[in-house]
Amino acid sequence: GAVVSQHPSWVICKSGTSVKIECRSLDFQATTMFWYRQFPKQSLMLMATSNEGSKATYEQGVEKDKFLINHASLTLSTLTVTSAHPEDSSFYICSASIAEHTQYFGPGTRLTVL
Amino acid sequence: AQSVAQPEDQVNVAEGNPLTVKCTYSVSGNPYLFWYVQYPNRGLQFLLKYITGDNLVKGSYGFEAEFNKSQTSFHLKKPSALVSDSALYFCAVRDQAGTALIFGKGTTLSVSS
């Protein structure tokens, strides 16, 4: 149980375009979902926390207009990278939590911006 | 502010030997502590957590961790390492009031045959 999926697993896009990444909890309803960014050989950096039906809470230094988060249901959150640039290339990982404290992570999405 | 330190970038052990991956934390109040493992180009897999109760926590794949409040540590251990344990290990903490996890920088475990 507690499976989280992400789609796509890898996306390559041109600079200036927008990319949407989906995060789904497959077998549970997640009260809260989180979006992280990971650079090669580095730790995960929390970008934002989202609760279903409300606006996401962004971490300091994360541009909310660039990284749009929508948490439309208890099983789906989306991250849209708007007007992507090469410096946005990274590994984006989502996680979902239920009441028991534990976060369950998706497999990650690798974004490459040319 | 919450923080997690993993002092070792890499830990090398021979297969069959015990392994320890170190983690210390700083948090106000009682901590919730977690260990996750990440294989190349994959997401994180949950190994174990300490919320309350017994200081020795047993988790997946034979791993265990000991919560030491006086030393503010939560070291990950396994009695006998396997080559397949080679991966990147992350320690994480959150306080009782928060929801987000704060991760350490990660420790690469390399188990040689």
Side-chain angles (χ1 to χ4, degrees):
Chain A
V3 177
V4 177
S5 70
Q6 281 184 242
H7 177 80
S9 57
W10 191 4
V11 55
I12 302 173
C13 69
K14 293 182 178 180
S15 185
T17 60
S18 295
V19 174
K20 179 185 284 188
I21 303 170
E22 292 186 349
C23 176
R24 293 181 185 273
S25 56
L26 297 184
D27 51 1
F28 67 101
Q29 292 184 326
T31 52
T32 306
M33 288 185 167
F34 305 86
W35 287 95
Y36 295 84
R37 184 173 180 176
Q38 185 181 32
F39 291 102
K41 298 186 179 181
Q42 293 190 28
S43 188
L44 281 73
M45 299 300 295
L46 178 66
M47 298 175 66
T49 302
S50 73
N51 293 293
E52 184 263 340
S54 61
K55 291 184 178 181
T57 302
Y58 290 81
E59 295 300 300
Q60 191 172 9
V62 178
E63 299 177 60
K64 62 180 181 180
D65 294 331
K66 181 169 185 62
F67 298 99
L68 301 177
I69 292 173
N70 183 279
H71 194 157
S73 75
L74 286 172
T75 60
L76 174 64
S77 177
T78 60
L79 168 68
T80 301
V81 183
T82 63
S83 186
H85 291 284
E87 58 265 30
D88 298 325
S89 298
S90 191
F91 196 52
Y92 292 88
I93 303 175
C94 74
S95 70
S97 71
I98 48 180
E100 61 179 65
H101 315 294
T102 303
Q103 288 185 28
Y104 299 95
F105 286 80
T109 296
R110 183 165 303 283
L111 172 62
T112 302
V113 184
L114 303 177
Chain B
Q2 304 169 72
S3 66
V4 178
Q6 292 181 244
E8 304 152 316
D9 290 335
Q10 179 145 351
V11 170
N12 299 311
V13 297
E15 188 174 33
N17 284 357
L19 68 88
T20 299
V21 183
K22 296 180 180 178
C23 171
T24 58
Y25 66 90
S26 174
V27 67
S28 57
N30 295 322
Y32 295 157
L33 295 157
F34 303 81
W35 276 102
Y36 287 88
V37 59
Q38 185 180 34
Y39 296 96
N41 298 310
R42 302 287 297 277
L44 274 67
Q45 295 179 28
F46 170 75
L47 280 180
L48 50 80
K49 66 182 177 183
Y50 172 83
I51 303 299
T52 187
D54 194 346
N55 289 345
L56 183 64
V57 179
K58 293 186 182 297
S60 306
Y61 313 121
F63 284 93
E64 59 187 29
E66 185 165 13
F67 170 60
N68 188 317
K69 189 172 184 177
S70 63
Q71 297 184 2
T72 62
S73 68
F74 190 57
H75 301 330
L76 181 70
K77 299 182 179 183
K78 187 172 182 179
S80 178
L82 299 172
V83 173
S84 57
D85 292 330
S86 299
L88 182 58
Y89 290 80
F90 289 100
C91 180
V93 67
R94 55 163 276 218
D95 61 27
Q96 287 180 312
T99 55
L101 290 175
I102 304 301
F103 285 86
K105 65 179 181 178
T107 299
T108 298
L109 173 65
S110 179
V111 182
S112 57
S113 57

